Amino acid sequence: MNSLRNFSQEMTGIVLFMLFIVLFLAGDWVKDYIPDEFLTSSMVNVITIFLSILLEAIPFILIGVFASALIQVFVSESLLQRIIPKRFPYLALFPAAIVGALLPVCECAIVPVARRLIKKGMPAHLAIVVMVTAPILNPIVFASTYYAFQNNMTVVFGRMGIALVAALIIGALLYRFYGKRNPLIQKEHDHGHHHDHSSNKLMQTIVHASDEFFDMGKYLIIGAFVAAGFQTYLDRELLVGIGTNEVLAPAVMMGFAYIISLCSEADAFVASSFGSIFSVSSILAFLVYGPMIDFKNTLLMLAYFNKKFVLIFIGVVTIVVYTCTLIVQLFV
């Protein structure tokens, strides 16, 4: 059953990616076969925004998946565990955040990494700090955020600053609420993803990169399309009204991030398309909250972690990120 589900998910990613390639390379030819009543001005606008998001995001996605694959193949969890001290639970938050910043792993792949770290003996609150910092603080995400917001460096550095502060607070609160208990679901048989552990490191890297690309590719395509439709069909006056509300706007953008957050390398390009409508703090809420927790990550966490821990984690992340963005709002 698992192999059939994995196969269907991989085929979905491949089909969606091939559809994008066809639309990009043969768009004019395909357009001749589409009825004129379908190609309304609104639909053309959706397609334009959709393709612009994808074309800007894909180069950073490719860099991210190969960097992630290199980490997966050449860096062991035991090495990371030796770097982070376990004797001082609060002081260890800082090296955990640094380790997360050095891991160019998208949120699509970071939950299994956090689970492996806990299984190898890392305290849960430190593994969670790695989990929430890795998708945001790594150099590739910084580069993509800079590229998307070149004219607004407040967003670029604000995303990194909020992510770091929020991650440390989240880790401290989780340790305070959950202590040293193991949050993982205990199973008699651990059915993980088994990859080829042969000596051919290059082949392993390519396999990991291709798996991750097609896994996150479907989220990228679906999310870009939803974002394009959201901007095209949602009442512009309603968006402007929400976007100018200092209290409501960050919460709305966090909810939006939870539902359609892409990979962290691509989120910046979606957020930049809302830059003329939503405030800086709202954009920051979207850019920080989505990579830390979204719908697909919630499903992954529920598969690995017990329900109580997941609910505590979601509550803590939501309150901390929202509070941080409101504080930033006072200074921007």
Side-chain angles (χ1 to χ4, degrees):
M1 182 64 70
N2 287 334
S3 60
L4 180 61
R5 183 169 62 250
N6 290 337
F7 176 75
S8 63
Q9 291 176 346
E10 290 177 3
M11 288 305 299
T12 301
I14 293 173
V15 169
L16 288 173
F17 183 71
M18 293 304 296
L19 178 61
F20 163 69
I21 295 297
V22 170
L23 288 174
F24 177 66
L25 296 179
D28 293 335
W29 179 79
V30 172
K31 184 173 66 175
D32 296 335
Y33 293 89
I34 299 177
D36 292 337
E37 56 269 19
F38 179 78
L39 286 177
T40 61
S41 59
S42 297
M43 183 54 64
V44 170
N45 190 54
V46 169
I47 294 172
T48 301
I49 297 174
F50 167 74
L51 291 176
S52 67
I53 292 173
L54 287 184
L55 290 175
E56 289 182 315
I58 281 179
F60 293 97
I61 293 290
L62 290 172
I63 295 172
V65 297
F66 274 102
S68 174
L70 290 171
I71 294 293
Q72 177 74 12
V73 173
F74 292 100
V75 179
S76 66
E77 288 88 349
S78 58
L79 173 61
L80 298 178
Q81 188 179 347
R82 287 196 299 270
I83 297 173
I84 301 175
K86 294 189 294 183
R87 295 180 58 186
F88 308 100
Y90 290 108
L91 289 178
L93 293 170
F94 294 94
I98 293 172
V99 168
L102 297 176
L103 292 177
V105 182
C106 178
E107 70 266 26
C108 305
I110 194 61
V111 174
V113 172
R115 171 178 174 255
R116 284 196 297 269
L117 290 172
I118 295 173
K119 288 179 71 69
K120 286 182 176 290
M122 179 179 289
H125 71 291
L126 299 182
I128 293 299
V129 170
V130 174
M131 189 179 85
V132 296
T133 52
I136 306 177
L137 294 182
N138 71 73
I140 297 167
V141 173
F142 178 85
S144 66
T145 308
Y146 174 80
Y147 183 79
F149 290 94
Q150 296 180 55
N151 298 324
N152 193 344
M153 297 305 294
T154 301
V155 174
V156 179
F157 291 106
R159 184 185 197 185
M160 303 299 144
I162 292 177
L164 176 59
V165 172
L168 296 175
I169 297 173
I170 290 167
L173 290 176
L174 287 177
Y175 183 75
R176 175 69 180 81
F177 293 143
Y178 213 80
K180 297 181 179 180
R181 285 173 286 173
N182 187 343
L184 297 178
I185 296 174
Q186 302 300 319
K187 298 179 181 179
E188 293 183 6
H189 302 285
D190 185 15
H191 299 288
H193 292 288
H194 299 285
H195 294 282
D196 179 21
H197 295 287
S198 65
S199 59
N200 192 337
K201 297 293 187 180
L202 177 60
M203 183 57 64
Q204 290 183 48
T205 301
I206 293 174
V207 169
H208 278 292
S210 61
D211 286 348
E212 191 168 336
F213 178 77
F214 284 111
D215 183 52
M216 68 177 61
K218 58 181 178 287
Y219 294 114
L220 171 62
I221 292 173
I222 294 171
F225 187 77
V226 171
F230 184 91
Q231 294 179 66
T232 301
Y233 292 107
L234 199 62
D235 186 4
R236 192 79 174 182
E237 293 183 1
L238 175 62
L239 277 180
V240 172
I242 295 173
T244 54
N245 188 306
E246 295 182 352
V247 176
L248 182 60
V252 169
M253 288 299 280
M254 286 169 64
F256 187 42
Y258 182 82
I259 297 171
I260 67 126
S261 180
L262 313 175
C263 298
S264 52
E265 291 94 344
D267 279 344
F269 300 101
V270 175
S272 66
S273 63
F274 291 103
S276 61
I277 303 173
F278 284 87
S279 63
V280 170
S281 62
S282 304
I283 298 297
L284 288 172
F286 178 91
L287 291 173
V288 175
Y289 189 73
M292 287 188 174
I293 184 66
D294 58 18
F295 180 70
K296 59 183 182 293
N297 267 16
T298 301
L299 296 180
L300 282 173
M301 289 193 71
L302 288 172
Y304 295 144
F305 296 84
N306 67 62
K307 187 180 299 183
K308 180 181 178 181
F309 181 81
V310 175
L311 291 176
I312 292 174
F313 171 73
I314 294 174
V316 168
V317 171
T318 302
I319 293 171
V320 170
V321 172
Y322 182 69
T323 303
C324 287
T325 55
L326 289 183
I327 293 173
V328 168
Q329 192 167 248
L330 299 174
F331 301 96
V332 297

